[in-house]
Amino acid sequence: MDQFLGELPLTRPWPALVALVVVLIASVAVFWVLVRRWTTHRLRLQLADWAASNRFKLDPPGAERLPEPVADAKTRGKLLFSLRDDSTSLVQLEAGTTPGEASDKPACWNLLVRKIGTAWPLTGLRPVSHKSSFLDAFVISSYPSLASPDRFVVFGADAVAARAVGGSSLVGLTPAVVGLLLHGGYLILDFSTRPFDTIEVQRMIGIVDQLAAHLPAKS
Protein backbone atom coordinates (compact mmCIF):
# COMPACT_ATOMS: atom_id res chain seq x y z
CA MET A 1 0.00 0.00 0.00
CA ASP A 2 2.77 2.41 0.96
CA GLN A 3 4.54 1.57 -2.27
CA PHE A 4 1.37 2.43 -4.27
CA LEU A 5 0.89 5.77 -2.52
CA GLY A 6 4.46 6.62 -3.11
CA GLU A 7 4.01 6.24 -6.81
CA LEU A 8 1.09 8.80 -6.96
CA PRO A 9 2.13 12.19 -8.39
CA LEU A 10 2.12 15.02 -5.85
CA THR A 11 -0.04 17.97 -6.98
CA ARG A 12 1.32 21.43 -6.25
CA PRO A 13 -1.06 23.96 -4.56
CA TRP A 14 0.25 27.02 -6.45
CA PRO A 15 -2.27 27.06 -9.34
CA ALA A 16 -5.17 26.84 -6.89
CA LEU A 17 -3.72 29.62 -4.74
CA VAL A 18 -3.19 31.85 -7.78
CA ALA A 19 -6.79 31.25 -8.87
CA LEU A 20 -8.06 32.15 -5.38
CA VAL A 21 -6.01 35.35 -5.35
CA VAL A 22 -7.37 36.33 -8.78
CA VAL A 23 -10.94 35.69 -7.62
CA LEU A 24 -10.32 37.74 -4.46
CA ILE A 25 -8.90 40.68 -6.42
CA ALA A 26 -11.82 40.59 -8.88
CA SER A 27 -14.32 40.50 -6.00
CA VAL A 28 -12.69 43.50 -4.31
CA ALA A 29 -12.68 45.44 -7.60
CA VAL A 30 -16.37 44.74 -8.22
CA PHE A 31 -17.23 45.72 -4.63
CA TRP A 32 -15.23 48.98 -4.98
CA VAL A 33 -17.01 49.86 -8.23
CA LEU A 34 -20.44 49.19 -6.71
CA VAL A 35 -19.65 51.25 -3.62
CA ARG A 36 -18.56 54.21 -5.74
CA ARG A 37 -21.61 53.76 -7.96
CA TRP A 38 -24.02 54.08 -5.05
CA THR A 39 -22.12 56.66 -2.98
CA THR A 40 -19.87 59.24 -4.66
CA HIS A 41 -21.32 58.64 -8.16
CA ARG A 42 -24.92 58.15 -7.11
CA LEU A 43 -26.08 61.67 -8.07
CA ARG A 44 -24.43 61.43 -11.50
CA LEU A 45 -26.18 58.12 -12.15
CA GLN A 46 -29.53 59.57 -11.11
CA LEU A 47 -29.01 62.61 -13.32
CA ALA A 48 -27.96 60.38 -16.22
CA ASP A 49 -31.17 58.34 -15.88
CA TRP A 50 -33.25 61.53 -15.71
CA ALA A 51 -31.47 63.01 -18.73
CA ALA A 52 -32.07 59.87 -20.80
CA SER A 53 -35.78 59.93 -19.89
CA ASN A 54 -36.20 63.64 -20.69
CA ARG A 55 -34.10 63.98 -23.87
CA PHE A 56 -31.30 65.88 -22.14
CA LYS A 57 -27.59 65.25 -22.42
CA LEU A 58 -25.42 64.90 -19.33
CA ASP A 59 -21.94 66.15 -20.13
CA PRO A 60 -19.07 63.90 -18.97
CA PRO A 61 -16.90 64.88 -15.97
CA GLY A 62 -14.28 67.45 -16.88
CA ALA A 63 -16.33 69.08 -19.64
CA GLU A 64 -16.11 72.87 -19.47
CA ARG A 65 -19.05 73.75 -21.69
CA LEU A 66 -20.72 76.73 -19.99
CA PRO A 67 -23.85 78.43 -21.31
CA GLU A 68 -23.03 81.82 -22.81
CA PRO A 69 -24.50 84.08 -20.07
CA VAL A 70 -22.85 82.02 -17.32
CA ALA A 71 -19.50 82.28 -19.06
CA ASP A 72 -20.00 86.08 -19.16
CA ALA A 73 -20.25 86.34 -15.37
CA LYS A 74 -17.27 87.62 -13.43
CA THR A 75 -17.51 84.65 -11.06
CA ARG A 76 -15.49 81.56 -11.91
CA GLY A 77 -15.78 78.03 -10.63
CA LYS A 78 -15.29 74.40 -11.54
CA LEU A 79 -18.16 72.91 -13.54
CA LEU A 80 -19.53 69.95 -11.58
CA PHE A 81 -22.62 68.97 -13.60
CA SER A 82 -24.04 70.09 -16.93
CA LEU A 83 -27.36 68.98 -18.42
CA ARG A 84 -28.63 70.44 -21.67
CA ASP A 85 -31.02 70.17 -24.56
CA ASP A 86 -31.66 72.53 -27.48
CA SER A 87 -33.17 75.32 -25.36
CA THR A 88 -32.27 74.67 -21.71
CA SER A 89 -29.08 74.14 -19.74
CA LEU A 90 -28.77 73.17 -16.08
CA VAL A 91 -25.35 73.60 -14.51
CA GLN A 92 -23.80 73.30 -11.09
CA LEU A 93 -20.67 75.37 -10.53
CA GLU A 94 -18.33 75.18 -7.60
CA ALA A 95 -18.49 78.64 -6.03
CA GLY A 96 -15.02 79.29 -4.64
CA THR A 97 -14.63 82.61 -2.82
CA THR A 98 -12.12 85.21 -3.93
CA PRO A 99 -10.87 88.29 -2.04
CA GLY A 100 -13.63 90.88 -1.76
CA GLU A 101 -16.48 88.40 -2.22
CA ALA A 102 -18.94 87.36 0.47
CA SER A 103 -17.58 84.52 2.58
CA ASP A 104 -21.07 83.12 3.23
CA LYS A 105 -22.02 82.44 -0.38
CA PRO A 106 -23.19 78.91 -1.21
CA ALA A 107 -20.70 76.15 -1.93
CA CYS A 108 -22.19 75.73 -5.40
CA TRP A 109 -24.17 77.80 -7.90
CA ASN A 110 -27.17 75.85 -9.19
CA LEU A 111 -28.35 77.53 -12.40
CA LEU A 112 -30.94 76.96 -15.10
CA VAL A 113 -30.43 78.82 -18.40
CA ARG A 114 -33.28 79.01 -20.91
CA LYS A 115 -33.09 80.55 -24.40
CA ILE A 116 -35.87 83.06 -25.01
CA GLY A 117 -36.96 84.85 -28.15
CA THR A 118 -36.33 88.40 -26.92
CA ALA A 119 -33.00 90.10 -26.22
CA TRP A 120 -33.04 91.83 -22.82
CA PRO A 121 -30.58 94.14 -21.12
CA LEU A 122 -29.35 92.80 -17.78
CA THR A 123 -32.46 92.74 -15.59
CA GLY A 124 -33.11 90.60 -12.53
CA LEU A 125 -35.03 89.76 -9.40
CA ARG A 126 -32.69 89.18 -6.46
CA PRO A 127 -34.21 87.40 -3.43
CA VAL A 128 -34.15 89.64 -0.36
CA SER A 129 -33.43 86.63 1.87
CA HIS A 130 -30.19 85.74 0.07
CA LYS A 131 -26.95 87.21 1.38
CA SER A 132 -25.25 86.05 -1.81
CA SER A 133 -26.70 85.58 -5.27
CA PHE A 134 -25.43 84.74 -8.74
CA LEU A 135 -26.84 88.12 -9.78
CA ASP A 136 -24.01 89.71 -7.78
CA ALA A 137 -21.60 88.51 -10.47
CA PHE A 138 -22.98 91.23 -12.77
CA VAL A 139 -22.56 94.98 -12.29
CA ILE A 140 -26.14 96.31 -12.42
CA SER A 141 -28.09 98.97 -10.54
CA SER A 142 -30.79 98.21 -7.98
CA TYR A 143 -34.35 99.57 -7.94
CA PRO A 144 -35.68 98.72 -4.45
CA SER A 145 -39.02 100.48 -4.96
CA LEU A 146 -40.08 98.44 -8.00
CA ALA A 147 -41.03 95.20 -6.21
CA SER A 148 -42.37 93.91 -2.90
CA PRO A 149 -39.61 94.60 -0.33
CA ASP A 150 -40.16 91.29 1.48
CA ARG A 151 -39.44 89.11 -1.61
CA PHE A 152 -37.19 90.67 -4.25
CA VAL A 153 -35.07 93.65 -5.16
CA VAL A 154 -35.23 94.55 -8.86
CA PHE A 155 -31.87 94.99 -10.55
CA GLY A 156 -31.31 96.31 -14.05
CA ALA A 157 -28.90 97.92 -16.46
CA ASP A 158 -31.84 99.73 -18.06
CA ALA A 159 -34.52 101.55 -16.05
CA VAL A 160 -37.29 100.84 -18.56
CA ALA A 161 -36.61 97.11 -18.56
CA ALA A 162 -36.31 97.07 -14.76
CA ARG A 163 -39.67 98.81 -14.44
CA ALA A 164 -41.26 96.32 -16.84
CA VAL A 165 -40.02 93.35 -14.82
CA GLY A 166 -40.87 94.92 -11.46
CA GLY A 167 -44.45 95.53 -12.54
CA SER A 168 -44.96 92.16 -14.18
CA SER A 169 -46.33 88.82 -13.04
CA LEU A 170 -42.74 87.50 -12.87
CA VAL A 171 -42.53 88.86 -9.33
CA GLY A 172 -45.43 86.70 -8.19
CA LEU A 173 -44.57 83.61 -10.25
CA THR A 174 -40.92 83.39 -9.17
CA PRO A 175 -40.40 81.52 -5.86
CA ALA A 176 -38.93 83.75 -3.15
CA VAL A 177 -35.86 81.48 -2.85
CA VAL A 178 -35.02 81.63 -6.56
CA GLY A 179 -33.18 84.46 -8.29
CA LEU A 180 -34.12 85.49 -11.84
CA LEU A 181 -31.93 87.18 -14.43
CA LEU A 182 -32.71 88.23 -18.00
CA HIS A 183 -29.52 88.56 -20.00
CA GLY A 184 -29.56 89.02 -23.77
CA GLY A 185 -31.62 86.19 -25.22
CA TYR A 186 -31.54 84.12 -22.02
CA LEU A 187 -33.50 83.70 -18.81
CA ILE A 188 -31.46 82.42 -15.85
CA LEU A 189 -32.78 80.96 -12.60
CA ASP A 190 -30.47 80.80 -9.58
CA PHE A 191 -31.69 78.00 -7.28
CA SER A 192 -28.45 77.64 -5.33
CA THR A 193 -30.26 77.33 -1.99
CA ARG A 194 -32.05 74.24 -3.30
CA PRO A 195 -30.49 70.82 -4.00
CA PHE A 196 -29.23 69.96 -7.47
CA ASP A 197 -31.13 66.70 -7.88
CA THR A 198 -33.68 65.23 -10.25
CA ILE A 199 -36.69 66.43 -8.23
CA GLU A 200 -35.50 70.03 -8.06
CA VAL A 201 -34.29 70.04 -11.67
CA GLN A 202 -37.73 68.92 -12.85
CA ARG A 203 -39.37 71.56 -10.65
CA MET A 204 -37.14 74.34 -12.04
CA ILE A 205 -38.00 73.35 -15.61
CA GLY A 206 -41.69 73.67 -14.77
CA ILE A 207 -41.09 77.10 -13.23
CA VAL A 208 -39.03 78.40 -16.16
CA ASP A 209 -41.68 77.18 -18.62
CA GLN A 210 -44.24 79.29 -16.76
CA LEU A 211 -41.97 82.33 -16.47
CA ALA A 212 -40.98 82.25 -20.13
CA ALA A 213 -44.66 82.26 -21.06
CA HIS A 214 -45.27 85.45 -18.98
CA LEU A 215 -42.34 87.63 -19.99
CA PRO A 216 -43.42 91.28 -20.13
CA ALA A 217 -42.78 93.70 -22.96
CA LYS A 218 -39.68 95.80 -22.38
CA SER A 219 -41.49 99.08 -22.93
Side-chain angles (χ1 to χ4, degrees):
M1 184 68 179
D2 293 339
Q3 183 180 2
F4 176 75
L5 291 175
E7 294 176 354
L8 290 175
L10 296 177
T11 58
R12 296 183 179 180
W14 303 116
L17 289 176
V18 171
L20 287 174
V21 170
V22 170
V23 170
L24 177 62
I25 293 174
S27 300
V28 171
V30 170
F31 177 75
W32 180 78
V33 169
L34 290 175
V35 168
R36 282 178 61 85
R37 179 182 179 90
W38 295 110
T39 53
T40 56
H41 290 179
R42 186 172 184 177
L43 178 56
R44 176 165 288 277
L45 289 169
Q46 291 175 345
L47 292 173
D49 289 341
W50 179 90
S53 300
N54 292 272
R55 298 182 179 180
F56 272 72
K57 179 180 179 182
L58 175 64
D59 288 332
E64 291 296 331
R65 182 170 178 170
L66 289 175
E68 183 179 329
V70 176
D72 289 346
K74 68 178 182 180
T75 186
R76 287 291 179 267
K78 179 182 177 182
L79 182 63
L80 302 178
F81 293 105
S82 174
L83 295 153
R84 54 188 171 83
D85 68 2
D86 292 339
S87 62
T88 305
S89 297
L90 292 128
V91 297
Q92 184 179 63
L93 285 170
E94 198 174 59
T97 58
T98 57
E101 288 186 323
S103 60
D104 55 356
K105 73 178 181 180
C108 296
W109 297 121
N110 299 336
L111 307 171
L112 183 152
V113 182
R114 167 66 62 85
K115 293 180 182 178
I116 54 177
T118 308
W120 278 76
L122 279 168
T123 315
L125 297 175
R126 189 191 189 283
V128 173
S129 60
H130 291 185
K131 293 183 178 180
S132 296
S133 172
F134 186 72
L135 277 69
D136 301 338
F138 300 89
V139 181
I140 42 180
S141 303
S142 63
Y143 298 85
S145 63
L146 294 182
S148 175
D150 58 339
R151 286 173 56 83
F152 297 105
V153 174
V154 179
F155 279 75
D158 177 82
V160 174
R163 194 174 298 111
V165 169
S168 72
S169 57
L170 296 183
V171 178
L173 293 174
T174 306
V177 294
V178 175
L180 179 150
L181 181 68
L182 294 166
H183 180 15
Y186 298 90
L187 189 159
I188 305 172
L189 296 184
D190 172 12
F191 60 105
S192 301
T193 59
R194 306 295 302 163
F196 194 91
D197 57 25
T198 56
I199 295 175
E200 202 64 28
V201 161
Q202 190 68 56
R203 179 171 174 258
M204 288 300 120
I205 289 177
I207 290 172
V208 80
D209 287 343
Q210 191 175 31
L211 294 173
H214 290 83
L215 288 175
K218 286 185 293 183
S219 60

